[in-house]
Amino acid sequence: MTVRAFGGRFSVISLDELEALFRASSVELGRRFGARRVGDKYLLPIQAVPWFTLVDLGHEYPVNGLVVRGVMIEGPVDKPWFDLVLGFLVGDYVVGVSVVGRRAVGCRSRPLNPPLDLWDLPRGLEFPRLVAVTREVTGGVVDVSVPMDCLVRLGLSPGQSTRFLLVYTGLVSVGGRLFIDLSGSSLLVS
């Protein structure tokens, strides 16, 4: 699935999982992806959504003061269309950084919708609707932390905790060629 242990190198989107989701029967949706049937729809849990990759931090940590240092991003980070979210999963929010290939402009809040280049989504599926609250940054090596100034501006509480780092890109076409390397990264809690 799309839950990984902290460390190592991995692609941002699992194209195999995406293809399997599109081909899944209703039985496979329940067994393989953990989807629940509600009325005439299937609700997919966040860990089964192929355009989200979750990295298990191993323990529950308070987000205030949590930093993942030295996250390497391998891919077209200098392209103007490049946009990658790396953040901590806190309820229905992802708080962290948005790595962009253009000039960084500060705080940003936006929904993490299905990738733009997925023309048709599987019918009858409902996906978790997360909102990212991020600070834009540039570069191939970044530190991921909670943008406290952005949270305060939006009226969100920094007193939450998390167990997962979430990785998201809005384009499937680059997701299989885009890699995150956490082998040299460290997790700091202050």
Side-chain angles (χ1 to χ4, degrees):
M1 287 308 218
T2 54
V3 178
R4 303 192 180 280
F6 188 81
R9 180 179 182 266
F10 55 88
S11 66
V12 171
I13 291 179
S14 170
L15 297 176
D16 293 336
E17 288 296 315
L18 183 63
E19 183 179 349
L21 180 66
F22 271 82
R23 295 177 187 265
S25 67
S26 57
V27 172
E28 289 174 314
L29 284 174
R31 286 187 184 157
R32 181 173 181 173
F33 294 99
R36 284 187 355 242
R37 186 177 177 116
V38 177
D40 62 343
K41 302 261 185 200
Y42 284 90
L43 300 176
L44 205 61
I46 192 166
Q47 66 269 18
V49 178
W51 49 86
F52 295 144
T53 297
L54 295 174
V55 178
D56 190 342
L57 301 175
H59 300 287
E60 193 82 16
Y61 294 101
V63 294
N64 193 0
L66 181 61
V67 180
V68 177
R69 290 211 189 277
V71 177
M72 281 191 78
I73 302 163
E74 301 171 19
V77 296
D78 59 343
K79 301 292 184 196
W81 47 261
F82 185 79
D83 189 5
L84 175 77
V85 172
L86 291 159
F88 303 111
L89 180 62
V90 179
D92 291 334
Y93 290 92
V94 177
V95 292
V97 297
S98 181
V99 184
V100 294
R102 56 177 166 66
R103 184 175 63 83
V105 295
C107 294
R108 186 173 176 192
S109 173
R110 64 182 169 137
L112 297 182
N113 294 320
L116 294 171
D117 51 354
L118 278 183
W119 300 100
D120 292 317
L121 293 173
R123 292 180 191 205
L125 280 181
E126 287 289 322
F127 303 98
R129 301 293 181 187
L130 302 177
V131 174
V133 178
T134 58
R135 178 180 302 107
E136 289 188 344
V137 297
T138 58
V141 179
V142 298
D143 294 342
V144 180
S145 63
V146 175
M148 294 307 224
D149 54 332
C150 302
L151 289 182
V152 170
R153 264 188 238 154
L154 294 169
L156 299 173
S157 168
Q160 304 282 336
S161 62
T162 187
R163 184 183 174 105
F164 296 102
L165 176 72
L166 183 136
V167 183
Y168 164 85
T169 186
L171 293 171
V172 168
S173 55
V174 296
R177 298 176 298 154
L178 184 59
F179 293 89
I180 300 297
D181 191 348
L182 296 172
S183 358
S185 300
S186 58
L187 183 65
L188 304 170
V189 182
S190 58

